Amino acid sequence: MAEHTGEEEQMNCPICDDQFQIGDLCALDIELGMCHAACLKGSPVVDLDTGEEIGGDMSTFRYGKDV
C-alpha cells in the first residue's frame, strides 16, 4: 500500500472544516464523504450502499494510507 506524499491537494473535514492530517482517524459518511471519526461520533452506522441503519461500530481508517 502506498502512502500519500503530501503533494496532493489538502482536504478539509466537511463537519469541522479542519484539514486532514496524515494519521487522522477518519470514517465515511453516506452524505458528506470522508470525515474525522470524532466528528461522526454518535451518528448512526449505516450501509453506505443502501443507507439502511446496521448498528455496530463504524469502520475507520487513517488518513494518508490507501485503504
Side-chain angles (χ1 to χ4, degrees), residues 29-41:
D29 178 81
I30 195 166
E31 294 176 351
L32 300 174
M34 184 172 61
C35 303
H36 290 116
C39 293
L40 292 173
K41 187 174 181 175

Side-chain angles (χ1 to χ4, degrees), residues 4 9 19-20 23 30 33 37-40 44-46 55-56 60 65 67:
H4 293 272
E9 182 180 334
Q19 275 190 347
F20 291 110
I30 195 166
C39 293
L40 292 173
V45 177
V46 300
T60 60
K65 303 252 183 216
V67 183

Side-chain angles (χ1 to χ4, degrees), residues 48-59:
L48 293 176
D49 293 324
T50 66
E52 188 173 318
E53 190 168 338
I54 57 174
D57 295 329
M58 75 173 112
S59 296

